[in-house]
């Protein structure tokens, strides 16, 4: 995720990063300019239309459609940002729950119980790590210490790894209860934290696997395209060849809003503005290690 100073306006204006919409839309903007030039040449030099022409009535249609398209784009961007922010809240909950689980285990386990402490010190941060890889839809081989924790060899990388790691956590906590190292009341307290891991995973999968409806996305793109394609017919008569940069700028603004919405609607991807899940997983590992010693 890009870090920046929101008060530095001058830098924003002249900064072009990798995901900047102007870079992505450059070929289309050039095509729009060429299209506008052709329309302008035909209207001004071939057909020689004047301001009294009936084609200028298209302006009233653009005024009505501009309100509709603005409402659609506002809804589109707000919906996309809600998905991004929900993903951030879920990962914030994962960070907090990992810390809480480590703190509770630290108070319940004895200082001399190095075996169980070492297990939880490894497995709690591992859940965040495997969830990050799982949401990135990447197949990964975890570097597991088979000598220290032989039960981790049973992880099947072809199956749902976060569920397997959560199962290992619950099995170890249940083992602590059977060995009498934690009481029944403590088991109930730990169960809330353990259950939250799977709940967070399921909520993240819901965002990941449920994109904006296809028909809505296609309709909005077609609407923007045909709206911009009709702008030169009325703008050229009143603005002349100046309509070329005006129409290109209008297309840039409308298409950029759609591109921004497409980028942030999946907060678990690999774009620059997506959530820094790997960094948050590293912070969880750092904090859990500090707590469990």
């Amino acid at each position: 995720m890009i870090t920046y100073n929101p008060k530095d306006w001058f830098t924003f204006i002249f900064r072009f990063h990798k995901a900047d919409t102007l870079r992505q839309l450059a070929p289309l903007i050039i095509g729009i300019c060429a299209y506008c030039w052709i329309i302008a040449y035909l209207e001004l030099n071939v057909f020689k239309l004047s301001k009294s022409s009936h084609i200028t009535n298209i302006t009233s249609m653009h005024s009505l459609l501009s309100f509709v398209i603005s409402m659609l784009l506002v809804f589109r961007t707000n919906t996309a940002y809600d998905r991004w922010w929900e993903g951030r809240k879920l990962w914030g909950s994962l960070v907090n729950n990992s810390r809480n689980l480590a703190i509770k285990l630290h108070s319940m386990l004895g200082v001399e119980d190095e075996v169980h402490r070492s297990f939880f010190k490894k497995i709690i941060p591992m859940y965040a790590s495997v969830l990050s890889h799982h949401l990135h839809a990447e197949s990964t081989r975890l570097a597991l210490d088979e000598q220290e924790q032989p039960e981790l060899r049973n992880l099947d990388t072809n199956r749902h790894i976060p569920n397997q790691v959560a199962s290992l956590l619950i099995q170890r906590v249940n083992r602590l209860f059977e060995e009498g190292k934690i009481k029944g009341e403590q088991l109930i307290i730990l169960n809330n934290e353990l259950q939250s891991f799977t709940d967070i995973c399921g909520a993240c999968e819901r965002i990941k696997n449920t994109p904006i409806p296809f028909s809505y996305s296609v309709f909005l793109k077609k609407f923007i395209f045909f709206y911009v394609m009709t702008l030169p017919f009325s703008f050229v008569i009143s603005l002349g060849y100046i309509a070329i940069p005006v129409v290109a700028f209008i297309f840039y603004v409308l298409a950029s809003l759609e591109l921004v919405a497409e980028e942030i609607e999946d907060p678990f991807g690999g774009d620059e503005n997506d959530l820094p899940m790997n960094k948050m997983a590293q912070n969880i590992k750092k904090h859990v290690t500090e707590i469990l010693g």
Side-chain angles (χ1 to χ4, degrees), residues 107-175:
S107 62
M108 295 176 185
L109 296 176
V111 180
E112 69 283 352
D113 198 346
E114 185 61 30
V115 176
H116 292 302
R117 283 178 174 273
S118 177
F119 174 83
F120 288 113
K121 188 164 57 177
K122 176 186 292 290
I123 206 70
I124 294 176
M126 182 182 293
Y127 187 86
S129 178
V130 299
L131 179 59
S132 173
H133 288 291
H134 175 69
L135 295 175
H136 277 145
E138 298 175 355
S139 58
T140 179
R141 298 284 180 176
L142 299 177
L144 304 178
D145 189 348
E146 298 181 356
Q147 298 299 325
E148 182 181 355
Q149 307 296 341
E151 60 267 40
L152 299 184
R153 288 178 296 183
N154 297 326
L155 287 180
D156 184 359
T157 55
N158 295 321
R159 296 167 55 196
H160 196 285
I161 300 182
N163 283 348
Q164 297 180 68
V165 176
S167 179
L168 290 177
L169 274 170
I170 295 176
Q171 291 174 10
R172 182 55 69 98
V173 171
N174 186 64
R175 177 178 163 185

Side-chain angles (χ1 to χ4, degrees), residues 34-80:
Y35 168 77
C36 289
W37 182 86
I38 294 174
I39 298 298
Y41 179 80
L42 292 176
E43 288 190 359
L44 298 176
N45 299 99
V46 178
F47 299 106
K48 297 181 179 180
L49 299 177
S50 62
K51 292 184 179 181
S52 60
S53 176
H54 294 291
I55 200 170
T56 56
N57 295 330
I58 300 179
T59 305
S60 59
M61 179 193 71
H62 290 150
S63 300
L64 296 175
L65 292 180
S66 62
F67 175 78
V68 176
I69 199 171
S70 63
M71 292 296 99
L72 289 173
L73 287 173
V74 167
F75 175 78
R76 178 76 170 95
T77 52
N78 286 346
T79 303

